[in-house]
Amino acid sequence: MRLPIESIGHKIRMIRKERGFTLEIMANKTGLSKGFSQVERGISQPSLDSLWKITKALEASIIHFFEDIDQKQVHVTRKPKRRQMVFPESTGTYALLSAGGSSKLGMLEVKLQKGEMVVDKFVQGEGEECFVVTKGTVTVRFNDEEHVLEAGDSITFDSTKSHSVENTGEEEAVLIWSVTPPQF
């Protein structure tokens, strides 16, 4: 169970990434140092003044950061309520299947049309990723390594390993992707 400050930090990071803001952009918009990344990681608690500056820069409601802070051990995400996500440099559509900022495990449904690619890392730093192809064909590339996966195939890898995933088939590819620890 994450403490409220961890949940708030993950929500800040998620919105910042959705907006396409780097830590440097946020520092310029808020007047805070780039060290505010400790807030995003749940290491440091922001003052109310700092949190206000962050919400203004993100054009978000301060109340949003305190929603869903509870003691639930079970989290259900209904299909119509899935949060859609955007990852810079990547194409395709991404739907959050897990609890998001309050979860130790991140799960995404990734849909890629022919030629679309995932080139952004879902985890910053150490962690693991695993996905299963439920529909279509994708090619996974790691520097000098290449793997073609079809429906039913899965792959697990270290998150720090530079990678891309491309739909190289003729139809839409659908992946169920898990990451730990999640950073979205």
Side-chain angles (χ1 to χ4, degrees), residues 43-73:
I43 296 170
S44 175
Q45 183 169 336
S47 68
L48 188 54
D49 182 57
S50 294
L51 188 56
W52 180 254
K53 289 176 182 177
I54 292 167
T55 59
K56 285 295 207 186
L58 294 173
E59 298 177 3
S61 167
I62 198 165
I63 301 220
H64 170 74
F65 298 105
F66 296 96
E67 292 174 337
D68 303 323
I69 295 177
D70 57 37
Q71 301 300 315
K72 286 184 182 180
Q73 296 294 319

Side-chain angles (χ1 to χ4, degrees), residues 1-106:
M1 172 60 71
R2 290 181 191 253
L3 298 173
I5 189 60
E6 291 176 303
S7 179
I8 292 167
H10 285 283
K11 286 181 181 184
I12 290 169
R13 181 183 181 90
M14 184 175 69
I15 293 171
R16 176 180 64 79
K17 285 191 162 217
E18 283 176 2
R19 304 277 193 271
F21 296 162
T22 64
L23 290 174
E24 186 174 18
I25 290 170
M26 283 298 293
N28 290 335
K29 285 181 161 285
T30 62
L32 303 172
S33 72
K34 285 193 268 185
F36 109 96
S37 68
Q38 291 184 333
V39 170
E40 287 187 346
R41 294 189 315 241
I43 296 170
S44 175
Q45 183 169 336
S47 68
L48 188 54
D49 182 57
S50 294
L51 188 56
W52 180 254
K53 289 176 182 177
I54 292 167
T55 59
K56 285 295 207 186
L58 294 173
E59 298 177 3
S61 167
I62 198 165
I63 301 220
H64 170 74
F65 298 105
F66 296 96
E67 292 174 337
D68 303 323
I69 295 177
D70 57 37
Q71 301 300 315
K72 286 184 182 180
Q73 296 294 319
V74 176
H75 181 84
V76 175
T77 303
R78 303 284 179 202
K79 188 174 182 178
K81 299 280 185 176
R82 290 181 185 167
R83 292 183 183 171
Q84 299 299 308
M85 303 184 74
V86 175
F87 293 97
E89 308 297 321
S90 292
T91 52
T93 60
Y94 304 83
L96 187 61
L97 303 176
S98 58
S102 63
S103 178
K104 292 179 184 175
L105 172 70

Side-chain angles (χ1 to χ4, degrees), residues 89-92 94 112 115-119 141 164-167:
E89 308 297 321
S90 292
T91 52
Y94 304 83
L112 300 171
E116 290 186 324
M117 293 183 73
V118 175
V119 293
R141 294 180 182 93
S164 67
V165 180
E166 180 181 4
N167 179 348

Side-chain angles (χ1 to χ4, degrees), residues 102-163:
S102 63
S103 178
K104 292 179 184 175
L105 172 70
M107 295 285 296
L108 294 170
E109 177 186 63
V110 178
K111 293 183 178 181
L112 300 171
Q113 299 304 317
K114 183 178 179 180
E116 290 186 324
M117 293 183 73
V118 175
V119 293
D120 202 3
K121 295 195 308 185
F122 296 139
V123 176
Q124 301 289 325
E126 293 184 18
E128 287 186 314
E129 299 182 42
C130 176
F131 68 81
V132 61
V133 179
T134 61
K135 179 181 174 187
T137 303
V138 297
T139 301
V140 185
R141 294 180 182 93
F142 302 94
N143 295 329
D144 59 349
E145 238 179 290
E146 189 172 283
H147 303 276
V148 176
L149 304 177
E150 297 178 344
D153 294 340
S154 62
I155 190 168
T156 303
F157 52 93
D158 184 316
S159 294
T160 61
K161 194 171 175 97
S162 179
H163 60 278

